[in-house]
């Protein structure tokens, strides 16, 4: 069972970011321009919808992976890897979404830098905020946190 103090620190850390890939983090500061877009919806801590021109695009934010709010295979995997419970992981997912909604706002003008499509068909992207900063850098508060990195063997 987790101690209350540990849970508080754990939630604070994970609400900001669960996984940060150093390769993406190194690239992120160099991005300063991209396609103009308007945020239309914040789905969760690592997924947002934007409008660019007449198109609505679902973005999977690169360099950040937050817990899920709803039951899914990914949530079960995160529960197993983190050694926590379903309810605790759900609370972390809700906290991550709440944190994203404090930093990104519907109707906000941003720029997006895209990198193809991910596993679930979402457009992989960085979101550049109006002040030129990258969302993931600000969401992490300048911290790089990596809980687990698995590299497949050849």
């Amino acid at each position: 069972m987790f101690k209350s103090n540990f849970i508080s620190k754990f939630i604070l850390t994970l609400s900001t970011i669960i996984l940060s890939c150093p390769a993406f983090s190194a690239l992120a500061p160099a991005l300063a321009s991209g396609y103009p877009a308007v945020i239309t919806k914040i789905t969760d801590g690592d997924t947002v919808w934007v409008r660019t021109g007449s198109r609505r695009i679902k973005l999977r934010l690169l360099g950040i992976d937050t817990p899920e709010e709803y039951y899914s295979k990914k949530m079960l995997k995160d529960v197993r890897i983190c050694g926590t419970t379903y309810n605790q992981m759900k609370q972390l997912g809700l906290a991550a979404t709440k944190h994203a909604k404090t930093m990104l706002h519907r109707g906000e003008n941003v720029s997006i830098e895209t990198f193809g499509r991910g596993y679930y068909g979402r457009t992989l992207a960085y979101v550049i905020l109006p002040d030129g900063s990258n969302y993931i850098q600000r969401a992490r508060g300048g911290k790089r946190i990596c809980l687990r990195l698995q590299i497949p063997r050849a």
Side-chain angles (χ1 to χ4, degrees), residues 17-39:
I17 180 171
I18 243 187
L19 174 69
S20 175
C21 177
F24 292 133
S25 299
L27 177 62
L31 301 174
S33 64
Y35 301 104
V38 177
I39 295 174

Side-chain angles (χ1 to χ4, degrees), residues 2 10 18 67 71-90 92 147-148 150:
F2 288 114
F10 193 67
I18 243 187
Y71 182 86
S72 67
K73 287 180 184 178
K74 181 185 181 294
M75 180 184 274
L76 293 177
K77 180 180 175 184
D78 289 346
V79 164
R80 183 176 39 80
I81 289 172
C82 293
T84 186
T85 68
Y86 168 81
N87 286 332
Q88 289 169 331
M89 192 59 69
K90 180 176 180 173
L92 293 172
L147 291 181
R148 185 173 190 148
Q150 294 180 337

Side-chain angles (χ1 to χ4, degrees), residues 1-150:
M1 199 58 148
F2 288 114
K3 293 182 180 176
S4 179
N5 190 24
F6 179 75
I7 282 288
S8 297
K9 290 178 183 176
F10 193 67
I11 288 173
L12 178 63
T13 300
L14 289 179
S15 68
T16 304
I17 180 171
I18 243 187
L19 174 69
S20 175
C21 177
F24 292 133
S25 299
L27 177 62
L31 301 174
S33 64
Y35 301 104
V38 177
I39 295 174
T40 60
K41 181 179 180 181
I42 296 97
T43 305
D44 60 29
D46 56 22
T47 307
V48 298
W49 284 86
V50 297
R51 186 180 72 253
T52 177
S54 61
R55 295 177 46 208
R56 277 190 77 217
I57 303 170
K58 188 176 188 179
L59 302 179
R60 168 62 171 89
L61 303 177
L62 289 172
I64 189 167
D65 184 23
T66 62
E68 303 299 313
E69 292 181 42
Y70 303 103
Y71 182 86
S72 67
K73 287 180 184 178
K74 181 185 181 294
M75 180 184 274
L76 293 177
K77 180 180 175 184
D78 289 346
V79 164
R80 183 176 39 80
I81 289 172
C82 293
T84 186
T85 68
Y86 168 81
N87 286 332
Q88 289 169 331
M89 192 59 69
K90 180 176 180 173
Q91 291 306 309
L92 293 172
L94 292 168
T97 301
K98 182 178 178 181
H99 183 70
K101 287 181 177 181
T102 65
M103 302 193 68
L104 299 171
H105 308 285
R106 288 177 63 181
E108 185 174 26
N109 291 309
V110 296
S111 294
I112 59 171
E113 191 74 27
T114 62
F115 297 88
R117 293 196 179 271
Y119 182 77
Y120 295 105
R122 298 174 291 183
T123 300
L124 305 174
Y126 287 114
V127 172
I128 311 303
L129 301 173
D131 67 0
S133 65
N134 187 309
Y135 165 71
I136 62 166
Q137 291 174 313
R138 190 171 298 166
R140 290 193 317 238
K143 298 179 181 87
R144 180 177 295 162
I145 303 164
C146 184
L147 291 181
R148 185 173 190 148
L149 178 62
Q150 294 180 337

